[in-house]
Amino acid sequence: MADSKMAVSQWSSDFVKELLPAAEKTALLYNLSYLCLANFPNLERLLRSRAVETQLLFGSSDAAMLKCILTSKNLVESLFPMLVTAVEKNKPLLAVNYLGKARVWIKDIIKDVDRIVEKYNLHNKDVASSTSDVIQEKQDTDKKITKQDHELKQTEKTVGDLNSELQKTTKELEETEKKINRKSQEIQEFARSISKKSKGLGIFAAIVPFIGLLVQSIYGAIKDPKNRAQIKALEAELNRFIADKTALKRKEWQIQLQLIDWQMKAAKASFERNSIPDPIHLNEVQKSLTKIQAILIQLKNFWENVAQMLDHLEQKTFVGENLIVDLAELKDEFLESIKTAKEAWSSFGEGCKKASVLFKLQTKDAYKFLEVSPSSFSKVEWQKEYVSVKKRLENIDPPQRVTTSGTAAISE
C-alpha cells in the first residue's frame, strides 16, 4: 500500500483558531485607520470603500467554507458508507466509481478556493495602493509642518525598537515552523516505513490525512519496542517544537500590542498637529489579509493532497486482480479505517462550520463603524472610541497550543 511519493497532509480541524484572530484584527485595524483619518474626507471615503470590499471578500470566503462543509458531509454520509458496501460485497469497480465522484467534488472546491485566493491577492494590492495614496497625501500635508516635538521623536524611536524586536521574534517563529515541518516529515517517513510492513496502516494513512491520528495508529501497528520508542521520541520532539511555537506566538502578539499602542500614540500626536498619520494600521490590515489568504492556500493544498491520496487508494487497492485478493484479506482493517475517517472528517466539517460563522459575523457586524464618520467625533468621543477598539484588540488571543493528538495542552 505504501508509496515513497505519498505524504500525509498536515491539516487540522482547528485551523479556524488561526483564522479567527486574523479576521478580527482586520476589522479592528480598519477601525483604527478610519479614526486616524478623521478630518480628511477624501481618505475617509477611500478607506471606507476598501473596508466594504473586504466585507464582500469575506462573504465569498464564507461561500467557499460552505462548500467544504457540504463536501465533508458527503464524504461522511455518502462516500464512506458506499465504500464500506463495496468492500463488504467485494466489488472494487463500484468503489472506483464512488472515488471518481469524490474527486469531482474535491476538484470543484479547489477551483473555488483558488478563485478566492486570487481575489485576496488583488484586494491586497488595492489596499496597498490605498496605503500609497495616504502616504502621498501625508507628504503633501507635512510639507507645512517642519517641527516635531521631543515626545514624538521618542515615540518613533520606541516604535523602531519594537519593530526590531518583532522582526527578531518573527524570525525565531519562522525557524520553529521549519523545525516543526522537518520533524513532521520525519514522522511521515517513519510512518511510511512502518506502512510498508502493514497494508492496513497504509490504507489508514490514505483516507485519514491527519498526522495526530496517524501517530496514534502507528502505536497500534508497531510490534518492535525500538520502533515504539522511536515514534514516541519523535512525537515528543514535535510537541516540544509546537510548545515553542505557542510561546513565540504569544510573545509576538504581546509585542504587536505594544507596537500598536505606541503607533497610536504617534498617530494621536500627528492628529493633534492636524497632520495625516502614517498609514501603519493599513499595513497591518494587509498582513492580516495575507494571513487569511495563506490559510486558504493551505486549505486548497490540503484538498489537492486528499485528491491525490484518493487516486492512490484507487490505484493501489481497487485496481488489479492481485490487489482485489488483498482487499478481501484486508476487509477488517479497511472497515476500521473507514470508521476512524468518518470521525476525523466530521471534526473537520465542524471546523469549517466555525469558519463559516466567523466570515458571516465579519460580513454582518464587524464593519458597522463605517456608518459614522470619525470627523463627526469630538475629542472626547474620539478618545473613547480609540480606547474601545484598543481594548478589543488586546482581548484577541493567539491560537492555543495543540499537540499531535489534536487536543489543547494544559497550561502550566
Side-chain angles (χ1 to χ4, degrees), residues 8 82 99 105 202 230 245 293 357 387 392:
V8 177
M82 288 188 292
L99 290 170
W105 303 337
Q230 183 177 351
K245 175 185 174 181
Q293 181 184 8
V357 170
V387 171
R392 279 180 282 163

Side-chain angles (χ1 to χ4, degrees), residues 124-362:
N124 227 337
K125 289 179 180 178
D126 288 341
V127 175
S129 176
S130 299
T131 304
S132 299
D133 292 341
V134 174
I135 291 172
Q136 184 58 54
E137 189 155 342
K138 170 182 169 55
Q139 290 173 345
D140 294 341
T141 303
D142 284 355
K143 288 178 181 179
K144 304 174 184 178
I145 302 170
T146 58
K147 185 177 179 181
Q148 290 183 317
D149 57 16
H150 175 74
E151 180 183 352
L152 182 56
K153 288 183 178 180
Q154 185 60 43
T155 299
E156 290 173 342
K157 181 181 182 302
T158 302
V159 168
D161 292 342
L162 285 171
N163 267 319
S164 297
E165 187 176 356
L166 181 59
Q167 289 174 4
K168 180 181 177 182
T169 302
T170 300
K171 186 175 180 180
E172 290 178 12
L173 190 57
E174 289 173 353
E175 290 300 317
T176 303
E177 287 276 14
K178 292 177 182 178
K179 291 179 182 178
I180 290 174
N181 289 336
R182 286 195 294 267
K183 191 56 59 178
S184 296
Q185 185 63 37
E186 192 174 344
I187 290 176
Q188 291 168 12
E189 293 290 344
F190 184 75
R192 284 198 290 272
S193 69
I194 296 298
S195 66
K196 289 177 181 177
K197 304 174 184 177
S198 170
K199 290 184 177 179
L201 181 59
I203 292 173
F204 184 94
I207 62 176
V208 185
F210 304 94
I211 193 166
L213 289 173
L214 179 65
V215 170
Q216 293 174 22
S217 70
I218 292 173
Y219 283 136
I222 295 176
K223 305 303 180 185
D224 187 338
K226 290 183 178 180
N227 285 339
R228 290 181 66 86
Q230 183 177 351
I231 188 61
K232 285 184 179 180
L234 289 171
E235 185 185 22
E237 288 183 68
L238 179 59
N239 282 333
R240 178 166 59 82
F241 291 145
I242 292 173
D244 291 343
K245 175 185 174 181
T246 302
L248 286 169
K249 277 275 188 184
R250 290 192 174 279
K251 180 180 178 181
E252 181 184 50
W253 179 234
Q254 291 302 317
I255 296 173
Q256 287 175 340
L257 284 176
Q258 293 180 56
L259 189 56
I260 288 171
D261 193 29
W262 280 96
Q263 287 170 334
M264 280 304 297
K265 288 178 181 178
K268 286 172 64 180
S270 296
F271 180 74
E272 293 293 333
R273 291 158 57 242
N274 201 34
S275 172
I276 299 173
D278 286 317
I280 38 97
H281 302 304
L282 281 180
N283 291 329
E284 294 301 318
V285 165
Q286 291 177 64
K287 292 178 183 178
S288 294
L289 289 172
T290 300
K291 175 66 175 178
I292 296 171
Q293 181 184 8
I295 292 172
L296 291 174
I297 290 173
Q298 290 175 28
L299 180 64
K300 173 196 167 189
N301 292 339
F302 168 77
W303 282 110
E304 287 177 340
N305 287 337
V306 170
Q308 290 176 4
M309 285 189 288
L310 289 180
D311 287 341
H312 183 83
L313 180 65
E314 175 186 324
Q315 294 299 319
K316 295 296 183 181
T317 306
F318 296 108
V319 178
E321 293 182 1
N322 293 334
L323 290 168
I324 290 174
V325 175
D326 288 341
L327 176 60
E329 295 174 353
L330 292 168
K331 182 178 293 185
D332 291 341
E333 289 90 339
F334 190 90
L335 295 178
E336 186 62 29
S337 293
I338 289 288
K339 179 181 177 181
T340 305
K342 289 175 69 174
E343 295 173 357
W345 280 104
S346 295
S347 175
F348 176 76
E350 288 301 314
C352 291
K353 286 181 183 178
K354 292 177 183 178
S356 175
V357 170
L358 163 65
F359 281 125
K360 279 187 174 69
L361 289 175
Q362 290 295 313

